[in-house]
Amino acid sequence: MLKIGCHLSISNGFHKAIQEAVSIGANTFQFFTRNPRGGKAKDLDPKDIEGLKKIIEEYDFAPLFAHGAYTMNLASKSENTREFARMILKDDLIRLKEISNSYYVFHPGSHVGQGSERGIELIVDALNDAIDKDNDTIILLEGMSGKGTEIGRNMEELKAIIDGVKYNDNLGICIDTCHLYSSGYDIVSNLDGVLDEIDRTVGLDRVKAVHLNDSKTEFASNKDRHEVIGGGTIGKDAIIDIINHPKLRNLPFNLETPNELEGYKKEIEFLRGEYR
Ligand SMILES: [Zn+2]
């Protein structure tokens, strides 16, 4: 069974989000751990989480994706911004212990002119501070499109971060089809070649999750503009190949396409129909 869902808001509680997920045929979903622009996380309501566990078991849900705030920049030049990001990271990881079936996905950061080597060093330092040997949450660095000074624009940068972290057994990557294509990995005409390259660098066993998006911009544009499935430069055929590829087909996929619930429902129906 295809593990597919989409990004949903938990501002009305997990219970509401999971009902929505079930109503659109999803068996996973992604949520922001807090306001996407940063800020305080809502306290988790034990009753809300209890309901979540029941439904997750009943509907045999795949892992959920807990997405870190976009404003979290562990590689910032400003010490205040870095400290804030490190605090959010630690706090998110503590809160996620309550939601057992979830992966933590976050954008590695932007070096804002300090150079990627320095940026990677700062990210590694923050992760070493946040991840101890008892950590059992799967933490995933998201591969980025490479806009601005983003770190994680290629597999080598992601690999350098993973290698720098002492307790990295549960550290992996989340690939985003839009970001991959716009950062110059040709998943449209050479999916096998891209997967071989990922395997040679970070290792395919580190790839635990996929953001499934089409792209508004051309190949290698280094832009991050998600498009609805089949409406962009990646296109339906390449996306169908991705969800069916033997090396990817068992991973959980979450859509971050520009859609309301009804649009997500249609995309999920379509993708389930194309899953062989
Ligand atoms: Zn993301």
Side-chain angles (χ1 to χ4, degrees):
M1 173 116 138
L2 177 63
K3 298 165 188 160
I4 180 97
C6 63
H7 189 92
L8 293 172
S9 165
I10 56 160
S11 56
N12 295 314
F14 268 108
H15 201 80
K16 183 80 173 51
I18 207 153
Q19 278 173 353
E20 284 179 350
V22 169
S23 80
I24 59 173
N27 52 355
T28 173
F29 67 95
Q30 173 172 277
F31 58 94
F32 284 124
T33 51
R34 61 190 69 224
N35 183 308
R37 309 239 58 96
K40 198 184 177 303
K42 267 215 297 199
D43 287 331
L44 293 172
D45 170 2
K47 264 199 219 127
D48 197 23
I49 309 282
E50 202 37 55
L52 178 78
K53 278 185 196 152
K54 270 191 214 138
I55 302 178
I56 280 177
E57 279 164 30
E58 189 181 335
Y59 288 90
D60 196 19
F61 264 50
L64 309 182
F65 299 5
H67 198 301
Y70 290 147
T71 43
M72 178 177 131
N73 186 7
L74 297 169
S76 173
K77 206 168 3 184
S78 139
E79 195 177 342
N80 279 344
T81 308
R82 280 204 309 270
E83 279 310 314
F84 180 64
R86 290 167 77 119
M87 188 269 289
I88 285 185
L89 171 66
K90 284 186 184 171
D91 187 53
D92 279 351
L93 291 177
I94 291 168
R95 285 157 27 81
L96 279 189
K97 286 192 205 291
E98 307 296 314
I99 309 165
S100 51
N101 193 36
S102 57
Y103 293 169
Y104 186 64
V105 180
F106 74 103
H107 299 181
S110 292
H111 65 71
V112 287
Q114 303 172 97
S116 38
E117 212 172 306
R118 174 67 181 146
I120 288 167
E121 216 173 82
L122 290 167
I123 295 164
V124 164
D125 189 61
L127 288 171
N128 274 324
D129 187 37
I131 305 175
D132 61 24
K133 65 177 190 333
D134 300 323
N135 169 63
D136 52 16
T137 299
I138 306 269
I139 301 172
L140 305 177
L141 306 163
E142 181 163 348
M144 304 308 291
S145 62
K147 69 176 184 308
T149 62
E150 269 174 355
I151 292 169
R153 63 180 61 224
N154 58 43
M155 294 300 145
E156 288 74 14
E157 290 188 357
L158 296 170
K159 161 93 172 138
I161 298 171
I162 293 170
D163 284 350
V165 175
K166 185 168 181 201
Y167 302 111
N168 67 11
D169 286 356
N170 289 329
L171 187 59
I173 68 169
C174 172
I175 53 175
D176 180 310
T177 51
C178 168
H179 300 173
L180 268 182
Y181 194 58
S182 64
S183 65
Y185 290 91
D186 193 354
I187 51 173
V188 174
S189 48
N190 188 19
L191 179 60
D192 281 317
V194 170
L195 293 176
D196 284 349
E197 191 173 339
I198 295 176
D199 202 31
R200 274 195 304 273
T201 46
V202 290
L204 271 175
D205 55 330
R206 294 273 184 189
V207 179
K208 305 283 190 206
V210 182
H211 283 160
L212 193 65
N213 300 307
D214 210 325
S215 173
K216 279 196 197 327
T217 62
E218 70 278 21
F219 176 64
S221 62
N222 291 123
K223 294 213 171 75
D224 185 356
R225 306 274 315 281
H226 299 184
E227 182 54 285
V228 295
I229 300 300
T233 51
I234 298 174
K236 272 190 177 137
D237 291 348
I239 286 171
I240 291 167
D241 287 346
I242 288 165
I243 59 167
N244 285 294
H245 196 285
K247 290 175 176 163
L248 301 173
R249 56 180 288 115
N250 292 317
L251 295 175
F253 295 86
N254 267 303
L255 299 158
E256 295 174 319
T257 46
N259 271 312
E260 302 292 331
L261 210 53
E262 196 51 36
Y264 281 134
K265 185 179 180 188
K266 286 194 184 121
E267 287 187 343
I268 290 169
E269 262 168 23
F270 167 75
L271 293 163
R272 288 205 185 285
E274 298 293 340
Y275 192 62
R276 298 183 281 266

